[in-house]
Every structure is written in C-alpha cells, then in structure tokens.
Amino acid sequence: MTPEELTPDSPFTLPGFFDALSDGRLVAAVCSCGEVLVPPRTACYACGGRDLELEDQPRTGEIYSYTEVRTAPPAFEDDAPYTVAVVELDSGARLLGRVDADYDAVAIGDDVELRVRDPTEAEREIALSHEQDWPIHVFETV
Ligand SMILES: [Zn+2]
C-alpha cells in the first residue's frame, strides 16, 4: 500500500472502518501470513508484513473470554453491571465488545452475533468530536 492509497475514507483508517460498519460491513485486513486484523491495520501485528487485503467479516462467532464490569467509568455507571467479551469470529479474528446478556447467562463457547446500533447519549458525550457518530457494536447471544 502506498501513502496515496491511504485516504481518509479507506477502511484501513478508523473513520473508514466505522463508515463501513455504519453501512453494515465489518471489515478486516487479512495478512498473507493468515492473521486477521479487526479493525484493519496497514501493517500486520503478527509478522510485520504489509501484504494485506481487505475482507468482509462474518458477524457470527463465539465467546472466547468474558468478564463483568461492576465498577464502570462514570459515563456508564448506570449501565453497570454489564458483560464484555472477546469474541472469536467465525473467520478467526478476535474482537472485544459488550455482550447484551447478564454475566451469569454467558459461557465460553456461546454463539453470538454482532449487532450495530447508534451510540447512546452517554457514548456520544465521552467520544471525541469526530467519533460521536461512529456506530457501536454489541454481541447478542443466539
Ligand atoms: Zn502477517
């Protein structure tokens, strides 16, 4: 990839990644070594290579690890307790996100599906000005 190819609307940038997510596309960069990077990066964090191709990702996967947030940041105090998880997508990529289920109702290996929604008022308040309209992803148990 040349610097000229890395435009602000490219999914290799966070604004481009979230624009694609707003349009319903979860995009990753897949390295020639097999690593899947979500969000896409211009260099692979496994091998350092730059031979990366954009690829749409499945919205389904399973809980790889999870925990409960009981002491939330001030902006999310009203949400606590809530569950967050590392989800391994069916492509092998791992992605962190909230789970729309109580901690006691979640287990490692549970099937989940990614849903995208608009940010809440609290999420908009803590976001940087250019991030305020970025969509929020949540994993739902299926
Ligand atoms: Zn690589």
Side-chain angles (χ1 to χ4, degrees):
M1 171 175 292
T2 65
E4 292 74 30
E5 290 173 309
L6 192 60
T7 58
D9 58 347
S10 164
F12 279 102
T13 67
L14 283 177
F17 171 77
F18 283 106
D19 279 350
L21 195 59
S22 289
D23 293 339
R25 294 177 57 219
L26 178 63
V27 181
V30 180
C31 181
S32 56
C33 79
E35 191 73 17
V36 184
L37 303 91
V38 182
R41 299 283 193 266
T42 56
C44 176
Y45 42 60
C47 74
R50 293 180 176 271
D51 183 18
L52 299 149
E53 300 278 338
L54 291 173
E55 191 175 280
D56 283 4
Q57 292 297 294
R59 291 168 162 262
T60 53
E62 65 178 41
I63 302 282
Y64 178 79
S65 185
Y66 67 105
T67 191
E68 182 176 59
V69 176
R70 294 182 187 178
T71 307
F76 302 126
E77 277 176 348
D78 292 345
D79 296 351
Y82 55 88
T83 308
V84 296
V86 175
V87 169
E88 187 166 284
L89 300 174
D90 292 339
S91 63
R94 291 181 186 162
L95 184 61
L96 179 73
R98 275 203 205 187
V99 180
D100 194 12
D102 290 339
Y103 177 80
D104 292 340
V106 173
I108 289 172
D110 280 357
D111 291 328
V112 291
E113 183 165 358
L114 182 140
R115 179 174 58 85
V116 176
R117 61 167 172 75
D118 291 332
T120 62
E121 203 52 46
E123 288 162 342
R124 286 182 198 278
E125 277 180 28
I126 64 158
L128 299 173
S129 60
H130 69 280
E131 299 174 341
Q132 288 176 342
D133 292 327
W134 287 3
I136 303 294
H137 68 279
V138 177
F139 293 104
E140 295 181 334
T141 53
V142 291

